[in-house]
Amino acid sequence: MDPMQLVRDLAVAVITVVGVIVPTVLAGKRETKAAVTPTYDKLQTQVSSLWARQDLQVATIDALTKRVSLLERRDEAWQRGWDDLQRNWPDWRKHDTPPPYPTDKL
């Protein structure tokens, strides 16, 4: 076999392979991108939704923390009022008016 013919046949084979493989690979990449893009979009939507829920939960936690703090302060005020009433009962009995309300009314 002629070496030049062998080189030509090899070149034709390489060009044919490249002509078949490259478009196939590119088509596969396009298909992969088309399949992955909606998944990323859905994931982005889910992440945004989770961040919004977390923000709402943090706001709820902050509001509940403030409420608990208020209730603890009121409880302490009532306890101090009760302790004062017990400690000074003989004096309070002599007054015409009851002892003051220990905390602001809600």
Side-chain angles (χ1 to χ4, degrees):
M1 182 166 223
D2 179 23
M4 286 306 285
Q5 181 63 35
L6 186 60
V7 170
R8 279 192 292 263
D9 291 344
L10 183 60
V12 168
V14 168
I15 291 171
T16 303
V17 168
V18 169
V20 171
I21 291 178
V22 170
T24 303
V25 169
L26 291 177
K29 285 185 178 185
R30 280 192 300 272
E31 289 173 10
T32 301
K33 184 177 180 182
V36 170
T37 299
T39 304
Y40 283 137
D41 292 342
K42 183 178 177 183
L43 182 60
Q44 179 185 9
T45 302
Q46 289 176 344
V47 168
S48 297
S49 173
L50 289 173
W51 278 110
R53 283 180 52 199
Q54 181 185 6
D55 291 343
L56 180 61
Q57 289 172 345
V58 167
T60 302
I61 289 169
D62 290 345
L64 290 173
T65 300
K66 289 178 184 176
R67 182 71 175 171
V68 166
S69 178
L70 170 69
L71 293 174
E72 286 175 343
R73 287 193 308 272
R74 287 180 57 80
D75 183 60
E76 291 168 1
W78 275 101
Q79 188 61 51
R80 283 191 307 273
W82 176 251
D83 292 343
D84 177 62
L85 190 61
Q86 285 184 324
R87 206 173 28 253
N88 300 316
W89 179 244
D91 295 332
W92 282 115
R93 285 187 62 199
K94 295 175 189 172
H95 291 132
D96 292 334
T97 58
Y101 204 75
T103 184
D104 295 335
K105 294 181 180 182
L106 290 179

